[in-house]
Amino acid sequence: MRREEILDLLFAQPFEAVCERAARVLEEEKGAHVHVRGLIEFSNSCRRNCRYCGLRCENGNLRRYTLAKAEIMAAATRAVALGADTIVLQSGEYAIDPMWLADVIDCLRGGLNVPVTLSVGEHPRAAYALWKEAGAVRFLLKHETADPLLYEALHPGHVLAERIASLRVLQRLGYEIGSGFMVGLPGQSLNTLADDIILARRLGVSMCGAGPFIPQHDTPLGAYPAGSAQLALRVMAVMRIVMPWANIPATTALATVDAQGGQRNGLLAGGNVLMPSFTPSAYGSQYCIYDNKNRVDMLGARKAIEGAGRSHTLARWQEPAAQDVVSGLLPCAASGAPHASA
């Protein structure tokens, strides 16, 4: 599909028609099943200074935390017991001790027999390889915007090419890669949304999210208006048509701008993934990437699934036969906290 066709779907075709087409593609390619990924935000420490994110290193109003392994394991055990089919470990980008995180991954994979997704930012290839060997199977690294100049403006000291290069390294190491971008970013051209979809398709991502921009008051973009939920839904529907193979989440940002029906509408627009939070309640309010985040739980996820007329059945995960994991490499007895972040 050419860029002009994508732009036509984004801005010229009736929304209902685009959603109906996306629903047909979803039914043919993915069926009615919704994947439920249990999200654990294990640290809000971050060395980057992204202008839209409340975790930015210059935000002195944030109480920083990093969960101990025992806390992560307890949260993950609860998530699996309630029906999560994957554990997603998310944090700000900081100097994680690679061996500590590898130990956590190995224990999750071995103790709970669930796939592990990482969302921890850009790191050296050696760390990515270690975490893959420990058992991580997916890596989420959002490109945020396909506009190189806007990317540089939003991410001081960094360029889009670095992010794309990291995604390529992850892909070569055998990860299923995920990306994503925001809709309604200050300075964003509407036409860039087509480029975001094209970039995700060119990267061959296994998952891609598109949620509305939501400001965070302790950031330089804190006074800007939020992005449009309706436009984000249209972008999701177009992604489903353009990338029929991809898993597309109905994001927490949708649930934040529309608490009653945001995620249900995301599923109706072609989404097939939900990511309820299992971050311990004592820490959840400190993972404030944007204001008033709706911390969707498993009950909220089930309501969205039922409201969209979809289904979720937990199937026992089978580790890929080709994966070469050294048994017993990382014992699960230790439960200490990681090294302090830089």
Side-chain angles (χ1 to χ4, degrees):
M1 187 176 289
R2 297 172 306 181
R3 187 172 188 267
E4 293 76 13
E5 295 175 282
I6 296 174
L7 287 169
D8 181 67
L9 287 170
L10 284 172
F11 304 115
Q13 296 297 318
F15 176 68
E16 293 77 10
V18 176
C19 280
E20 287 176 6
R21 183 174 171 184
R24 291 195 299 271
V25 173
L26 177 67
E27 178 62 29
E28 293 170 0
E29 298 292 332
K30 297 290 187 178
H33 180 72
V34 176
H35 299 286
V36 176
R37 319 297 201 197
L39 176 65
I40 302 172
E41 297 147 325
F42 69 89
S43 179
N44 65 354
S45 295
C46 194
R47 59 193 171 198
R48 292 176 73 130
N49 210 25
C50 304
R51 291 171 57 82
Y52 52 82
C53 182
L55 304 192
R56 65 198 314 261
C57 60
E58 289 186 5
N59 183 2
N61 295 324
L62 190 63
R63 178 173 58 86
R64 304 289 175 171
Y65 74 87
T66 298
L67 299 183
K69 189 178 79 171
E71 294 174 296
I72 296 173
M73 293 300 297
T77 300
R78 179 171 177 268
V80 172
L82 290 175
D85 53 43
T86 298
I87 297 300
V88 181
L89 298 180
Q90 186 174 71
S91 70
E93 182 178 301
Y94 72 101
I96 300 171
D97 178 351
M99 286 300 297
W100 174 82
L101 185 55
D103 183 20
V104 172
I105 295 164
D106 183 70
C107 291
L108 288 170
R109 178 189 56 80
L112 297 176
N113 193 31
V114 289
V116 176
T117 297
L118 298 179
S119 178
V120 296
E122 295 178 25
H123 291 273
R125 184 187 185 281
Y128 290 154
L130 176 65
W131 299 333
K132 184 69 173 65
E133 182 182 23
V137 295
R138 305 184 185 106
F139 204 107
L140 175 60
L141 188 64
K142 296 180 180 180
H143 70 264
E144 305 295 8
T145 176
D147 180 341
L149 295 179
L150 181 57
Y151 186 96
E152 290 182 42
L154 295 173
H155 304 85
H158 299 276
V159 297
L160 179 60
E162 295 170 345
R163 182 59 53 104
I164 294 173
S166 291
L167 282 162
R168 292 296 193 194
V169 167
L170 290 161
Q171 201 169 42
R172 287 194 292 270
L173 286 170
Y175 284 95
E176 294 179 22
I177 60 168
S179 189
F181 53 95
M182 283 178 279
V183 177
L185 272 169
Q188 181 184 66
S189 163
L190 290 177
N191 287 353
T192 299
L193 295 172
D195 298 327
D196 284 312
I197 296 171
I198 291 168
L199 175 58
R201 183 180 64 180
R202 178 164 57 87
L203 289 168
V205 299
S206 298
M207 186 175 89
C208 189
F213 162 76
I214 302 175
Q216 205 283 330
H217 67 276
D218 286 323
T219 70
L221 302 187
Y224 283 84
S228 163
Q230 187 71 9
L231 182 54
L233 292 171
R234 181 183 278 267
V235 169
M236 287 180 62
V238 176
M239 281 201 299
R240 172 56 63 205
I241 295 166
V242 176
M243 298 187 294
W245 67 85
N247 289 322
I248 299 175
T251 64
T252 304
L254 279 173
T256 300
V257 298
D258 180 1
Q260 298 304 312
Q263 290 196 310
R264 178 201 64 215
N265 293 336
L267 296 177
L268 292 172
N272 69 320
V273 176
L274 293 177
M275 297 174 66
S277 174
F278 289 90
T279 304
S281 58
Y283 304 100
S285 63
Q286 296 301 311
Y287 202 86
C288 54
I289 54 177
Y290 50 76
D291 285 342
N292 304 311
K293 185 175 182 180
N294 185 344
R295 306 200 67 80
V296 179
D297 58 14
M298 200 66 177
L299 178 60
R302 288 194 177 113
K303 286 182 177 178
I305 293 169
E306 292 169 2
R310 305 280 288 284
S311 65
H312 169 69
T313 303
L314 182 62
R316 186 171 178 81
W317 179 66
Q318 295 297 321
E319 186 176 356
Q323 190 173 25
D324 183 16
V325 179
V326 180
S327 177
L329 175 65
L330 299 166
C332 295
S335 61
H339 294 173
S341 61

